[in-house]
Amino acid sequence: MKEPNHSFRIPLFPPLRWALAAAAAVVTGVLWAYYWRVFFYLDSRVSPLVPTLGCTALCLGVVAAAALLRRLRTLPAKGAACLLLCGLLFCFANPPLQTPDESEHYLRTYAISTGHLDFDYERSYPDDVAALLSAFPGAWTNSHTSVGVGNDPDTGEEKPYDSAGYALKQYGDDGRIESVADSFADYFANRDTPAEEPLHEPVSFLILPFLPGAIGMALARLFGFGALGCLYGGRLGNLLAYTAICWLALRQAQKYRPALLGVMLLPMSLFMGASLSYDATLLAGYYLMIALLLRERWTTGTAGLYLAACLYVNVAKPYLNLLWVVLLLLVPAGNWRAKGRRWHWCLGGLAGAWAVIWVTETYARVLRYNYPVIARQGGEAVNGGQQLAFVLANPLRSVATFWGTLCENQFFVGQLGLFGWKDMPIQALNLLGPVALLAAALLCAPQPPALDRRRSAGLGGFAVIYALGAIAAMYITYTPVAMVRVVGLQTRYFLPVFLILVLLTAPLLCRVLAPSVPAARGEQLAVPLFGLHALFGAVLLFQHYFVGPIYTIHL
């Protein structure tokens, strides 16, 4: 006999439910704006109506996005929609040219968008482009950091101060507040002023990785937008490419899709995906290859798609990414249905990767004009040959240097909330990043293991070798000889490693916890859980750049 259902629910028609949700969104937006106004003294900088309307509109937009996601049936479709919507927030929450190397990427993308596929140091840019780069220096927060000696507000005694990590600075309790808004005002005031010095094309000789952004810039220019509009058009082009490749990865993956979506929706991933950096499509290419490695049956099309992604990542960042080709050998022989043997594909992939690297570098040399001698990044203290000889002669010291660098940077898993050019730390996201990775593994735990022991061991070994390779590459090419720290490492380099570690952690959690939540339920929870994490990240990024906290300098 069927037991009666004693659960109590209030029957509501769908329109009434959404009306209540919209009302709750309006209340949340008003309270949120009030918090900003009180806690960050916004009323002295802008009309109270502006944050109230802005916060309310965003909350209503979240309700509308939830309604849209409910209409989509499959996880890849829901994930792609969530990536696109959250990516749009990151596109505009992040001020211009604040992603690592975005100034250089902007100039290269702009040149390609005008049809210039060669590299000419003497080629000039419009005046509004020069005004944009002048108004928004790379690492805005760092370039506006104040260090000195001021008066303690309580005791009146002199003490040192350092405003590093704060995008907004106030000089005195009632003084002027310096913020990113000043840079926007500077750009609009000077965009028609002739540049004092001409801009030169950057020392960046790639074409293919910048094409999505270049198409976005060309469309923005077609609609009459200037330098700032082209920047956002380029970001949107990259975001669409990032979303499309991630959608393909979710479609191709047969298991552990919550892990893939969780890493794709990390604020750090979207920060790069909605920027002018070619890391947008590079990261998506990594996620696609990992998704394909989760498949049980490999056809010729699967192998071809994997090699296409592998060739692309070697165009964007060569040499170290040759390691991805070798992962084809991890596909079990019983799962291989492609024409030809696995090692044939592996050798063909290595040859193809070397070929695209050679073609890319040759193209860059042949079509490069008027460039002076290109100095090493890092100055004369950096010498790759000497550093390599030092590493080989002092292996234990190098291991200690690598380990110390990882410890100082919390193994980079504790820096998933470090934005800008490593100058905008958001501590809440630094804490939530590891929690999100653990949640991604937990949502995959109810599923049968996606990898056997051989593939798990192979992927684990690859993750270690890839991470060490990234560290060694930065130590040899960017770090002064014999320095006890590795210079230039950033969290984004390790995102594919974090994804692999999540995949390897899921079956361990399954054994330890024996989860009873159905696998389908885990996939259903993935979109709202990681979508809210991404939304929270975008809001905090905007808040830290435009709202507060404010560092007060007592002079």
Side-chain angles (χ1 to χ4, degrees):
M1 182 176 178
K2 185 177 180 179
E3 296 184 2
N5 185 3
H6 298 290
S7 60
F8 178 74
R9 292 185 180 181
I10 301 176
L12 293 175
F13 295 106
L16 181 58
R17 288 202 300 265
W18 289 115
L20 291 175
V26 171
V27 173
T28 302
V30 171
L31 294 176
W32 173 18
Y34 184 74
Y35 156 70
W36 270 2
R37 290 169 51 203
V38 172
F39 201 75
F40 298 116
Y41 308 102
L42 263 185
D43 288 354
S44 62
R45 288 178 277 158
V46 68
S47 168
L49 193 61
V50 173
T52 302
L53 291 178
C55 293
T56 303
L58 179 59
C59 290
L60 288 173
V62 172
V63 173
L68 170 65
L69 291 174
R70 282 181 63 89
R71 290 181 174 274
L72 301 175
R73 297 302 179 189
T74 64
L75 180 65
K78 290 184 177 183
C82 197
L83 285 164
L84 182 59
L85 294 173
C86 293
L88 286 172
L89 296 179
F90 274 89
C91 178
F92 294 99
N94 184 25
L97 308 177
Q98 295 312 296
T99 311
D101 303 316
E102 195 170 27
S103 301
E104 177 183 288
H105 295 163
Y106 175 85
L107 293 177
R108 172 56 57 220
T109 306
Y110 193 98
I112 296 171
S113 73
T114 59
H116 294 104
L117 302 182
D118 58 349
F119 318 100
D120 188 352
Y121 185 74
E122 298 298 336
R123 184 179 292 126
S124 61
Y125 289 85
D127 291 333
D128 61 343
V129 172
L132 183 68
L133 267 71
S134 176
F136 292 95
W140 193 98
T141 303
N142 185 54
S143 64
H144 288 77
T145 289
S146 301
V147 178
V149 177
N151 296 321
D152 189 298
D154 298 321
T155 65
E157 298 179 355
E158 289 189 344
K159 70 173 186 178
Y161 66 84
D162 184 349
S163 63
Y166 288 82
L168 291 87
K169 284 93 174 177
Q170 183 174 22
Y171 297 89
D173 290 328
D174 300 316
R176 180 181 65 87
I177 295 176
E178 184 180 77
S179 70
V180 178
D182 299 330
S183 288
F184 280 99
D186 184 19
Y187 165 73
F188 287 113
N190 297 295
R191 58 181 172 175
D192 297 324
T193 304
E196 295 181 359
E197 296 183 2
L199 284 175
H200 297 287
E201 286 203 350
V203 182
S204 175
F205 308 115
L206 294 174
I207 298 293
L208 182 61
F210 293 113
L211 279 181
I215 294 172
M217 280 194 181
L219 291 174
R221 194 181 302 106
L222 183 65
F223 285 99
F225 289 99
L228 184 61
C230 285
L231 179 136
Y232 288 116
R235 284 183 173 181
L236 292 174
N238 269 356
L239 174 62
L240 288 173
Y242 176 79
T243 302
I245 299 173
C246 288
W247 169 81
L248 181 59
L250 291 171
R251 274 186 59 107
Q252 291 293 321
Q254 294 175 324
K255 293 181 180 179
Y256 286 11
R257 294 191 296 185
L260 288 164
L261 185 60
V263 176
M264 291 171 181
L265 279 170
L266 281 175
M268 181 60 65
S269 292
L270 287 176
F271 177 70
M272 301 307 302
S275 74
L276 287 175
S277 173
Y278 57 76
D279 277 15
T281 47
L282 180 69
L283 290 174
Y286 291 149
Y287 302 154
L288 174 59
M289 288 187 289
I290 294 174
L292 292 172
L293 291 171
L294 298 175
R295 292 184 63 84
E296 292 298 327
R297 187 171 182 269
W298 273 61
T299 63
T300 302
T302 307
L305 181 59
Y306 184 92
L307 279 192
C310 194
L311 293 181
Y312 173 76
V313 299
N314 277 280
V315 170
K317 283 194 175 180
Y319 303 116
L320 179 61
N321 283 326
L322 289 169
L323 291 171
W324 288 91
V325 182
V326 183
L327 291 181
L328 282 171
L329 298 177
L330 292 180
V331 180
N335 297 349
W336 187 262
R337 298 292 185 272
K339 296 180 180 179
R341 297 178 181 273
R342 289 171 300 169
W343 64 271
H344 290 161
W345 283 84
C346 186
L347 291 178
L350 288 172
W354 275 113
V356 298
I357 292 171
W358 180 83
V359 168
T360 301
E361 293 182 346
T362 302
Y363 182 89
R365 286 193 300 269
V366 171
L367 282 95
R368 185 188 310 171
Y369 310 109
N370 301 317
Y371 278 84
V373 175
I374 299 174
R376 301 186 188 95
Q377 291 190 357
E380 294 298 325
V382 176
N383 187 299
Q386 294 180 12
Q387 185 77 298
L388 179 60
F390 178 82
V391 170
L392 296 176
N394 302 275
L396 292 179
R397 188 180 187 279
S398 300
V399 170
T401 298
F402 292 1
W403 179 258
T405 300
L406 288 171
C407 292
E408 283 187 345
N409 291 278
Q410 300 90 43
F411 289 84
F412 294 95
V413 75
Q415 291 187 355
L416 287 165
L418 182 56
F419 299 101
W421 288 29
K422 295 190 70 175
D423 63 352
M424 175 52 68
I426 301 178
Q427 297 303 333
L429 296 181
N430 281 335
L431 294 173
L432 283 176
V435 176
L437 295 178
L438 179 60
L442 285 170
L443 292 181
C444 295
Q447 300 183 22
L451 302 168
D452 54 27
R453 291 184 178 180
R454 176 175 170 271
R455 278 189 289 175
S456 297
L459 271 180
F462 167 82
V464 173
I465 294 172
Y466 183 85
L468 291 177
I471 297 171
M474 300 303 294
Y475 191 59
I476 292 170
T477 58
Y478 288 92
T479 306
V481 177
M483 190 173 182
V484 295
R485 289 174 177 81
V486 183
V487 174
L489 284 174
Q490 299 184 45
T491 305
R492 57 196 171 103
Y493 301 154
F494 300 96
L495 288 173
V497 175
F498 295 157
L499 176 54
I500 292 174
L501 294 180
V502 169
L503 298 178
L504 298 180
T505 303
L508 298 178
L509 292 176
C510 181
R511 294 179 182 178
V512 173
L513 301 178
S516 59
V517 177
R521 181 60 176 165
E523 291 202 344
Q524 291 175 357
L525 292 173
V527 174
L529 179 63
F530 300 125
L532 288 174
H533 181 219
L535 171 66
F536 186 57
V539 169
L540 287 186
L541 185 66
F542 178 86
Q543 174 184 297
H544 277 66
Y545 269 118
F546 294 94
V547 181
I550 301 173
Y551 188 94
T552 303
I553 300 171
H554 298 279
L555 301 176

